[in-house]
């Protein structure tokens, strides 16, 4: 009688799977490296543009497809005011400071944006941090300011440890949670 040996559902040994695991890991690492390189190159242009906007002390005001470039002169021309607000950070105690800035609603009005027809605005900093403000917050008088001076001195640049050239301040926010420093863009929604 002839005997045939038939292998039935032999489970692979863990040592059989090692080459497969190494190959899958290598492919995953290569794909991640490609994604990082592509992301870096894509964001490099954006980061350079942000640095240039900060250097020139400008803000992009965006409403729909329309973009307007604001500079210190046009911002001050929207109604410069002196006001007081509390600054409270994680490394300092709450202190009252004197600021110079312009109400966000005045900047929008000066640029022919009808506040009653918008939902709100998002202010974006060079570091990607963004704060959203509702229409009601914007309309509220002496509430949201785009500031450039604190206690008689300009806010300073990001490169020298400052919070400017521009920072948004919500006067009634006593914990300073809704501020945005290094502003480069205001998007009207």
């Amino acid at each position: 009688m002839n005997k045939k040996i038939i292998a039935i559902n032999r489970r692979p040994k863990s040592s059989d799977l090692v080459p497969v695991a190494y190959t899958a890991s290598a492919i995953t690492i290569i794909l991640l490296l490609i994604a990082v390189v592509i992301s870096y190159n894509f964001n490099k242009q954006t980061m350079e543009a942000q640095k240039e906007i900060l250097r020139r002390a400008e803000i992009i005001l965006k409403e729909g497809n329309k973009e307007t470039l604001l500079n210190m002169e046009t911002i001050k021309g929207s109604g410069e005011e002196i006001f007081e607000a509390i600054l409270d950070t994680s490394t300092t105690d709450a202190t009252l400071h004197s600021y110079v800035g312009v109400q966000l609603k005045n900047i929008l009005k000066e640029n022919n944006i009808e506040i009653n027809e918008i939902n709100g605005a998002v202010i974006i900093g060079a570091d990607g941090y963004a704060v959203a403000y509702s229409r009601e917050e914007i309309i509220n008088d002496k509430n949201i300011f785009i500031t450039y001076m604190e206690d008689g001195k300009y806010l300073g640049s990001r490169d020298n440890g400052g919070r400017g050239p521009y920072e948004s301040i919500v006067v009634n926010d006593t914990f300073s949670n809704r501020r945005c420093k290094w502003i480069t863009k205001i998007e009207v929604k």
Side-chain angles (χ1 to χ4, degrees):
M1 182 170 182
N2 249 346
K3 289 185 179 179
K4 289 186 179 178
I5 300 175
I6 301 172
I8 301 174
N9 293 331
R10 182 180 78 83
R11 285 190 159 164
K13 298 177 188 172
S14 60
S15 60
D16 294 339
L17 298 177
V18 171
V20 173
Y22 283 141
T23 303
S25 296
I27 290 171
T28 302
I29 290 170
I30 290 169
L31 290 173
L32 286 173
L33 286 173
I34 291 170
V36 166
V37 169
I38 291 170
S39 177
Y40 173 77
N41 287 328
F42 179 73
N43 287 324
K44 185 177 178 183
Q45 291 174 323
T46 302
M47 291 180 339
E48 291 301 319
Q50 295 281 0
K51 284 181 184 179
E52 186 61 21
I53 289 170
L54 279 178
R55 189 189 66 72
R56 293 189 317 243
E58 296 174 331
I59 297 175
I60 297 169
L61 176 60
K62 183 175 182 181
E63 180 191 24
N65 293 328
K66 179 184 171 191
E67 288 189 358
T68 304
L69 202 56
L70 308 174
N71 59 30
M72 185 68 75
E73 184 179 310
T74 57
I75 291 170
K76 285 181 177 182
S78 297
E80 184 175 72
E81 297 180 44
I82 298 171
F83 66 98
E84 291 184 336
I86 294 173
L87 175 63
D88 187 7
T89 70
S90 60
T91 58
T92 64
D93 292 329
T95 52
L96 188 64
H97 294 270
S98 175
Y99 294 94
V100 178
V102 176
Q103 290 188 62
L104 176 58
K105 70 178 181 177
N106 292 350
I107 292 171
L108 298 179
K109 285 179 190 176
E110 191 70 24
N111 286 278
N112 301 314
I113 297 172
E114 182 56 51
I115 298 171
N116 291 322
E117 295 177 9
I118 66 171
N119 291 320
V122 177
I123 296 184
I124 303 165
D127 60 349
Y129 183 76
V131 181
Y133 302 113
S134 69
R135 173 182 50 228
E136 290 74 23
E137 291 176 299
I138 296 168
I139 290 172
N140 191 5
D141 197 38
K142 309 232 185 262
N143 187 37
I144 301 175
F145 285 85
I146 304 301
T147 307
Y148 38 86
M149 292 183 83
E150 177 184 72
D151 298 329
K153 297 178 184 167
Y154 284 95
L155 293 176
S157 70
R158 183 178 183 188
D159 293 338
N160 69 13
R163 298 188 319 269
Y166 306 103
E167 177 179 33
S168 67
I169 295 178
V170 179
V171 175
N172 63 15
D173 175 18
T174 56
F175 296 107
S176 306
N177 291 334
R178 305 213 38 238
R179 291 183 178 212
C180 184
K181 56 188 174 184
W182 309 314
I183 298 172
T184 57
K185 191 179 228 180
I186 300 171
E187 286 187 18
V188 177
K189 302 290 182 180

